Amino acid sequence: MAVHHDHGHTPAAWTGSIISFIGFCAGGVFMVAAQPVPFWASMGVILLGPVVGGAMKLMGLGSKESPEVRVARAHAAQEVRTPEGTTHAESPAEAPASA
């Protein structure tokens, strides 16, 4: 059975990508037209794309965390290493012997 992957198809991802793509296209036109000021303004539009996408993600329009990621994160939190080199999941008898 195939596993469903989201691949980031969210309003936040699409908006950020489209803004950056428009800036990229405009920057190419202004570079060929030898217009430096609008070219650099287009570079600013390219950098605006991830900012807008990130803000939209913070507003809840990005991808949601899958149950598998939540389980893996909880499992990893249980196995945090201690200064002695053992994990919380290990008992002192199971800890590796230091030679």
Side-chain angles (χ1 to χ4, degrees):
M1 181 161 114
V3 178
H4 173 70
H5 293 286
D6 187 14
H7 298 292
H9 296 296
T10 64
W14 277 103
T15 303
S17 297
I18 289 170
I19 290 172
S20 293
F21 180 71
I22 290 170
F24 178 79
C25 291
V29 169
F30 290 126
M31 181 176 60
V32 171
Q35 299 292 323
V37 174
F39 169 78
W40 287 110
S42 299
M43 295 300 107
V45 171
I46 291 173
L47 296 176
L48 185 65
V51 172
V52 171
M56 289 178 69
K57 182 176 180 181
L58 290 175
M59 292 174 16
L61 297 171
S63 62
K64 308 297 185 258
E65 192 175 72
S66 70
E68 293 86 11
V69 172
R70 274 184 259 146
V71 169
R73 186 170 288 139
H75 186 325
Q78 292 176 352
E79 293 185 358
V80 175
R81 296 259 177 212
T82 62
E84 296 84 31
T86 61
T87 63
H88 292 294
E90 295 174 338
S91 69
E94 297 173 346
S98 15

